[in-house]
Amino acid sequence: MRNQPLLHIGLFGIILVLFLARVPFHQAHQHDPFPNPRLRSAYTALQAWKHSIISDPKKFTSNWYGPDVCSYNGVFCAPALDNPYMETVAGIDLNHQNIAGSLPPELGLLTDLALFHINSNRFCGTVPETFKYLRLLFELDISNNKFAGKFPSVVLCLPSLKFLDIRFNKFEGKVPTKLFDLKLDALFINNNKFRFTIPDNFANSTVSVLVFANNKLKGCFPPDMEKMAGTLNEIILMNNGLHSCLPPDIGNLNKLTVFDISFNNFVGPLPEMMGDMESLEQLNVGHNKFSGDIPPSICSLPKLGNFTYSYNYFDGDAPSCLDLPAKDNRKNCFPEQPLQRSEEDCSSVLSHPVDCVAFGCSTSPLPPPPPYIAPPPIDEGLH
């Protein structure tokens, strides 16, 4: 019985050791370094992205470590829309950092993301299908990168998307017709390798800015563009190989400020109704095959500051056009004006009036221009 106190001390010591051994494990579960599960998911996503980056010459992501994701460069946090007391990752902006890498599927964990801007980098691959979980994404800008492959159709699944910019990449193939049924405010797909026919639902788009330049499009200029009159402010379709007449009702786009269809194969006259586009500031129809007279009403538009109609076959120039401070009328068929096409060049085109009905593009065809009458030759003996 002498050893009984020692036995009690021994048992107490064992219990104490076991208790102390459990404290760190217990405390580890009590002290979560992430304030909420969404920031924990954001940490997983951003660490996966960091490991997908192969070059970061400006060391922009050098502080992407540790649980405080809201302190990472280019990461912006805000209260969740469904819980104002919960902070979440709401925006990412890596613009102009020259970062090379890819987009990992874990980025789909950023379910509170509203802005995703990574323009002017060297990201490649494509947009992960997991982006379909970004139901709050409002702006997606992946322009000026090295993305390739087919159109990133996952963007069609984003119900909150209003701004889509995928220009200056290497996307190719067709553009889904569903794109024009989205309730977007701005759409930039220029400078890719898209080849598609302008769809029948083109004018369903709600955009205010539409830039399709430097792709390869087929088909007519949409005849029902007047459906976009309530929203459209800028449209740029330059260098797409489009070949048709302009529909007369294009003049109903009275909110349009920028209209650029240069470097295409448009033919026929400019519609007289374009003189109703009273908001127009910049008009570029250069490098096409337009002919006939320039409607005086166009050059009298109150806000028109720049009008380029060079490299066409116009042969009638209104005095109001000559008075424009910023105009370019070179290489047309205007008599007695400098830097025009040769008589042979003009005659080869203008002696064959354009039949806009033959394109099957418009229910309200434009009248053909009057027959071309070459200017009389100058008699050298009179001088």
Side-chain angles (χ1 to χ4, degrees):
M1 299 298 291
R2 288 181 180 179
N3 296 329
Q4 190 171 9
L6 295 176
L7 180 62
H8 289 170
I9 293 173
L11 290 173
F12 176 77
I14 293 171
I15 293 171
L16 181 62
V17 169
L18 291 174
F19 175 78
L20 292 175
R22 290 186 59 196
V23 167
F25 179 80
H26 179 65
Q27 287 181 345
H29 279 263
Q30 276 194 331
H31 180 64
D32 190 333
F34 300 101
N36 61 66
R38 299 188 196 183
L39 290 180
R40 187 188 303 116
S41 295
Y43 173 80
T44 300
L46 294 172
Q47 289 303 307
W49 196 8
K50 184 176 182 179
H51 285 94
S52 298
I53 291 174
I54 59 176
S55 175
D56 183 4
K58 299 182 182 180
K59 301 187 183 303
F60 190 72
T61 61
S62 61
N63 74 334
W64 282 26
Y65 60 86
D68 186 11
V69 296
C70 296
S71 68
Y72 289 9
N73 288 338
V75 177
F76 302 93
C77 292
L81 293 181
D82 61 340
N83 186 347
Y85 302 103
M86 180 180 289
E87 194 172 36
T88 63
V89 172
I92 290 178
D93 188 346
L94 272 58
N95 288 349
H96 302 282
Q97 297 304 322
N98 198 27
I99 296 172
S102 59
L103 304 183
E106 286 86 352
L107 290 175
L109 295 171
L110 300 172
T111 53
D112 292 277
L113 203 63
L115 308 176
F116 188 77
H117 294 176
I118 59 169
N119 78 57
S120 304
N121 286 287
R122 290 175 289 144
F123 288 107
C124 61
T126 189
V127 181
E129 286 298 316
T130 52
F131 266 49
K132 65 184 179 182
Y133 299 116
L134 308 185
R135 311 291 290 176
L136 301 179
L137 194 61
F138 187 84
E139 294 186 6
L140 177 60
D141 182 358
I142 60 171
S143 62
N144 197 20
N145 279 282
K146 297 181 181 297
F147 292 107
K150 296 180 179 180
F151 181 91
S153 295
V154 67
V155 304
L156 304 176
C157 304
L158 304 176
S160 301
L161 192 65
K162 294 296 181 184
F163 180 96
L164 177 61
D165 190 347
I166 63 172
R167 57 186 157 173
F168 290 100
N169 279 290
K170 298 179 180 179
F171 292 116
E172 58 187 358
K174 297 180 179 180
V175 170
T177 58
K178 186 179 177 182
L179 178 66
F180 303 98
D181 291 324
L182 299 183
K183 303 302 180 183
L184 297 176
D185 181 60
L187 176 59
F188 302 85
I189 68 170
N190 52 291
N191 294 84
N192 279 284
K193 298 179 180 180
F194 292 122
R195 292 176 175 268
F196 67 102
T197 300
I198 293 181
D200 293 338
N201 67 332
F202 183 92
N204 288 355
S205 180
T206 58
V207 294
S208 62
V209 180
L210 180 65
V211 184
F212 278 18
N214 300 312
N215 286 289
K216 296 296 180 184
L217 308 187
K218 295 181 179 180
C220 302
F221 194 89
D224 52 354
M225 288 288 289
E226 61 180 319
K227 291 168 58 178
M228 305 176 73
T231 59
L232 192 60
N233 298 130
E234 299 183 20
I235 182 168
I236 300 177
L237 297 173
M238 64 177 291
N239 192 29
N240 274 299
L242 291 168
H243 182 47
S244 70
C245 295
L246 290 183
D249 56 6
I250 194 173
N252 292 323
L253 298 175
N254 52 19
K255 291 186 177 181
L256 206 62
T257 60
V258 177
F259 184 50
D260 188 341
I261 55 171
S262 59
F263 291 92
N264 282 288
N265 292 304
F266 287 108
V267 296
L270 293 182
E272 181 72 36
M273 285 185 66
M274 289 182 69
D276 296 333
M277 302 166 76
E278 295 189 348
S279 300
L280 205 57
E281 300 173 8
Q282 298 182 44
L283 174 59
N284 191 343
V285 299
H287 291 267
N288 280 285
K289 296 179 180 179
F290 287 115
S291 56
D293 295 344
I294 302 282
S297 57
I298 294 179
C299 297
S300 300
L301 289 169
K303 298 181 180 179
L304 188 62
N306 191 307
F307 184 17
T308 300
Y309 49 103
S310 55
Y311 290 88
N312 279 286
Y313 293 88
F314 294 115
D315 59 351
D317 206 358
S320 56
C321 297
L322 299 176
D323 293 337
L324 285 173
K327 69 177 187 306
D328 185 355
N329 67 353
R330 295 170 297 153
K331 293 297 180 181
N332 277 286
C333 301
F334 299 124
E336 300 180 1
Q337 291 195 31
L339 303 176
Q340 299 299 300
R341 295 182 184 274
S342 68
E343 180 182 330
E344 293 77 16
D345 191 6
C346 291
S347 180
S348 66
V349 172
L350 298 179
S351 60
H352 300 88
V354 175
D355 182 7
C356 291
V357 179
F359 289 96
C361 296
S362 175
T363 55
S364 302
L366 291 164
Y372 174 67
I373 301 176
I378 298 175
D379 188 346
E380 297 291 343
L382 297 177
H383 298 277

